Protein backbone atom coordinates (compact mmCIF):
# COMPACT_ATOMS: atom_id res chain seq x y z
CA UNK A 1 0.00 0.00 0.00
CA UNK A 2 2.85 2.37 0.78
CA UNK A 3 4.32 1.83 -2.69
CA UNK A 4 0.89 2.27 -4.26
CA UNK A 5 0.41 5.53 -2.40
CA UNK A 6 3.79 6.66 -3.71
CA UNK A 7 2.53 6.13 -7.27
CA UNK A 8 3.79 2.62 -8.07
CA UNK A 9 1.07 1.38 -10.47
CA UNK A 10 2.32 -2.22 -10.49
CA UNK A 11 2.23 -2.33 -6.69
CA UNK A 12 -1.28 -0.88 -6.74
CA UNK A 13 -2.49 -3.52 -9.20
CA UNK A 14 -0.93 -6.26 -7.07
CA UNK A 15 -2.52 -4.79 -3.96
CA UNK A 16 -6.01 -4.63 -5.48
CA UNK A 17 -5.71 -8.17 -6.83
CA UNK A 18 -4.70 -9.50 -3.41
CA UNK A 19 -7.40 -7.54 -1.63
CA UNK A 20 -9.95 -8.85 -4.12
CA UNK A 21 -9.22 -12.41 -3.01
CA UNK A 22 -9.40 -11.50 0.66
CA UNK A 23 -12.64 -9.55 0.18
CA UNK A 24 -14.19 -12.43 -1.78
CA UNK A 25 -13.62 -14.72 1.20
CA UNK A 26 -14.94 -12.09 3.59
CA UNK A 27 -18.17 -11.57 1.66
CA UNK A 28 -18.62 -15.23 0.71
CA UNK A 29 -19.22 -16.09 4.36
CA UNK A 30 -21.63 -13.17 4.87
CA UNK A 31 -23.68 -12.68 1.71
CA UNK A 32 -25.54 -14.82 -0.81
CA UNK A 33 -23.25 -16.08 -3.57
CA UNK A 34 -25.05 -13.92 -6.13
CA UNK A 35 -24.03 -10.76 -4.24
CA UNK A 36 -20.36 -11.56 -3.56
CA UNK A 37 -18.81 -10.21 -6.77
CA UNK A 38 -20.75 -6.94 -6.58
CA UNK A 39 -19.83 -6.48 -2.92
CA UNK A 40 -16.15 -7.13 -3.70
CA UNK A 41 -16.23 -4.53 -6.47
CA UNK A 42 -17.92 -1.96 -4.24
CA UNK A 43 -15.38 -2.57 -1.50
CA UNK A 44 -12.46 -2.23 -3.93
CA UNK A 45 -13.90 1.04 -5.20
CA UNK A 46 -14.20 2.24 -1.59
CA UNK A 47 -10.58 1.22 -0.92
CA UNK A 48 -9.55 3.22 -3.99
CA UNK A 49 -11.62 6.26 -2.99
CA UNK A 50 -10.50 6.16 0.66
CA UNK A 51 -6.85 5.22 0.12
CA UNK A 52 -5.79 8.70 1.24
CA UNK A 53 -7.14 7.87 4.74
CA UNK A 54 -4.80 4.89 5.18
CA UNK A 55 -2.01 5.70 7.62
CA UNK A 56 1.28 4.06 6.64
CA UNK A 57 2.81 2.38 9.64
CA UNK A 58 -0.51 0.88 10.73
CA UNK A 59 -1.58 -2.59 9.59
CA UNK A 60 -3.44 -2.57 6.27
CA UNK A 61 -5.83 -5.47 6.83
CA UNK A 62 -7.77 -3.94 9.75
CA UNK A 63 -8.25 -0.79 7.67
CA UNK A 64 -9.56 -2.87 4.74
CA UNK A 65 -11.71 -4.96 7.11
CA UNK A 66 -13.39 -1.82 8.40
CA UNK A 67 -14.23 -0.74 4.85
CA UNK A 68 -15.50 -4.25 4.03
CA UNK A 69 -17.66 -4.27 7.15
CA UNK A 70 -19.30 -0.98 6.18
CA UNK A 71 -19.96 -2.32 2.67
CA UNK A 72 -21.40 -5.51 4.16
CA UNK A 73 -23.74 -3.45 6.35
CA UNK A 74 -24.80 -1.48 3.27
CA UNK A 75 -25.64 -4.76 1.53
CA UNK A 76 -27.58 -6.02 4.55
CA UNK A 77 -29.66 -2.84 4.59
CA UNK A 78 -30.36 -3.13 0.89
CA UNK A 79 -30.84 -6.92 0.89
CA UNK A 80 -34.59 -6.94 0.13
CA UNK A 81 -33.81 -5.17 -3.16
CA UNK A 82 -31.00 -7.61 -4.06
CA UNK A 83 -32.42 -10.86 -2.75
CA UNK A 84 -34.09 -13.28 -5.16
CA UNK A 85 -36.14 -15.68 -2.99
CA UNK A 86 -35.97 -18.40 -5.65
CA UNK A 87 -32.22 -18.24 -6.24
CA UNK A 88 -30.48 -21.62 -6.00
CA UNK A 89 -27.64 -20.26 -3.91
CA UNK A 90 -30.10 -19.11 -1.24
CA UNK A 91 -32.34 -22.18 -1.20
CA UNK A 92 -29.84 -24.37 0.66
CA UNK A 93 -28.29 -21.71 2.88
CA UNK A 94 -29.59 -20.82 6.34
CA UNK A 95 -31.45 -17.67 5.36
CA UNK A 96 -31.26 -15.27 8.24
CA UNK A 97 -28.74 -16.67 10.71
CA UNK A 98 -25.76 -14.40 9.83
CA UNK A 99 -27.96 -11.35 9.35
CA UNK A 100 -29.80 -12.01 12.62
CA UNK A 101 -26.56 -12.58 14.52
CA UNK A 102 -25.05 -9.36 13.15
CA UNK A 103 -28.16 -7.38 14.07
CA UNK A 104 -28.23 -8.80 17.59
CA UNK A 105 -24.53 -8.10 18.08
CA UNK A 106 -24.97 -4.51 16.87
CA UNK A 107 -27.93 -4.08 19.26
CA UNK A 108 -25.88 -5.40 22.18
CA UNK A 109 -22.88 -3.21 21.40
CA UNK A 110 -25.17 -0.18 21.07
CA UNK A 111 -25.88 -0.54 24.81
CA UNK A 112 -22.25 0.24 25.61
CA UNK A 113 -20.39 3.50 25.78
CA UNK A 114 -19.02 4.27 22.29
CA UNK A 115 -15.39 3.91 23.43
CA UNK A 116 -16.13 0.46 24.88
CA UNK A 117 -18.02 -0.73 21.81
CA UNK A 118 -15.29 0.51 19.47
CA UNK A 119 -12.42 -1.31 21.20
CA UNK A 120 -14.48 -4.50 21.57
CA UNK A 121 -15.18 -4.40 17.82
CA UNK A 122 -11.52 -3.77 17.03
CA UNK A 123 -9.92 -6.30 19.37
CA UNK A 124 -12.53 -9.03 19.78
CA UNK A 125 -14.25 -8.94 16.38
CA UNK A 126 -11.68 -7.59 13.91
CA UNK A 127 -8.57 -9.13 15.46
CA UNK A 128 -6.63 -5.96 16.29
CA UNK A 129 -4.03 -6.24 19.02
CA UNK A 130 -4.48 -4.03 22.08
CA UNK A 131 -1.58 -1.89 20.83
CA UNK A 132 -3.17 -1.49 17.38
CA UNK A 133 -6.53 -0.60 18.93
CA UNK A 134 -4.74 1.93 21.14
CA UNK A 135 -3.12 3.61 18.14
CA UNK A 136 -6.37 3.55 16.14
CA UNK A 137 -8.57 5.01 18.88
CA UNK A 138 -6.10 7.25 20.68
CA UNK A 139 -6.84 5.46 23.97
CA UNK A 140 -3.93 4.22 26.06
CA UNK A 141 -3.35 0.47 26.04
CA UNK A 142 -4.47 0.33 29.67
CA UNK A 143 -7.69 2.16 28.83
CA UNK A 144 -8.34 -0.18 25.89
CA UNK A 145 -8.04 -3.16 28.27
CA UNK A 146 -10.28 -1.50 30.88
CA UNK A 147 -12.90 -0.59 28.27
CA UNK A 148 -12.93 -4.14 26.92
CA UNK A 149 -13.23 -5.62 30.41
CA UNK A 150 -15.99 -3.25 31.52
CA UNK A 151 -17.84 -3.48 28.21
CA UNK A 152 -17.84 -7.29 28.23
CA UNK A 153 -18.94 -7.33 31.87
CA UNK A 154 -21.83 -5.00 31.05
CA UNK A 155 -22.84 -7.13 28.06
CA UNK A 156 -22.69 -10.25 30.22
CA UNK A 157 -24.96 -8.64 32.83
CA UNK A 158 -27.41 -7.56 30.16
CA UNK A 159 -27.57 -11.04 28.59
CA UNK A 160 -28.07 -12.69 32.02
CA UNK A 161 -30.87 -10.24 32.89
CA UNK A 162 -32.57 -10.69 29.51
CA UNK A 163 -32.42 -14.50 29.55
CA UNK A 164 -35.70 -16.25 30.32
CA UNK A 165 -35.86 -18.21 33.56
CA UNK A 166 -35.18 -21.92 32.98
Amino acid sequence: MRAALDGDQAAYATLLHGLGGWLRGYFRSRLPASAVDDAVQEALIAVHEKRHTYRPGLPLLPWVAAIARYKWIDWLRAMPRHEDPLADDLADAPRDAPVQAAAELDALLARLKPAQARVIRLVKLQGFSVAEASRTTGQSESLVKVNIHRGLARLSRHVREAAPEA
Side-chain angles (χ1 to χ4, degrees):
M1 180 61 137
R2 287 184 204 124
L5 290 174
D6 289 337
D8 184 337
Q9 294 297 319
Y12 194 52
T14 301
L15 171 72
L16 292 178
H17 179 73
L19 291 179
W22 185 87
L23 289 164
R24 190 164 279 98
Y26 179 90
F27 289 120
R28 190 178 300 128
S29 66
R30 291 168 174 81
L31 292 173
S34 60
V36 170
D37 287 336
D38 289 339
V40 168
Q41 290 304 312
E42 286 186 22
L44 286 173
I45 289 168
V47 165
H48 175 74
E49 291 174 345
K50 300 294 183 186
R51 68 188 183 279
H52 67 279
T53 66
Y54 172 70
R55 294 189 316 202
L58 292 180
L60 177 65
L61 197 53
W63 179 81
V64 173
I67 291 173
R69 182 176 178 281
Y70 286 116
K71 289 299 170 186
W72 173 57
I73 291 170
D74 290 345
W75 271 90
L76 293 179
R77 289 182 179 139
M79 198 65 114
R81 291 180 298 198
H82 293 291
E83 187 175 78
D84 177 7
L86 301 177
D88 291 337
D89 59 336
L90 295 177
D92 297 328
R95 293 186 73 82
D96 294 332
V99 174
Q100 182 68 27
E104 289 175 9
L105 180 60
D106 282 343
L108 280 171
L109 290 174
R111 296 176 170 274
L112 299 178
K113 294 178 180 177
Q116 292 172 343
R118 184 160 187 221
V119 294
I120 288 172
R121 283 185 194 282
L122 291 173
V123 175
K124 299 298 183 181
L125 301 177
Q126 294 179 359
F128 278 50
S129 69
V130 170
E132 291 168 334
S134 172
R135 285 191 301 271
T136 301
T137 62
Q139 299 176 26
S140 69
E141 289 185 29
S142 297
L143 184 56
V144 168
K145 292 176 187 178
V146 167
N147 277 333
I148 290 171
H149 175 75
R150 289 180 180 168
L152 291 176
R154 185 171 181 187
L155 289 176
S156 178
R157 278 191 309 276
H158 173 70
V159 170
R160 274 195 312 273
E161 292 168 1
E165 302 260 342

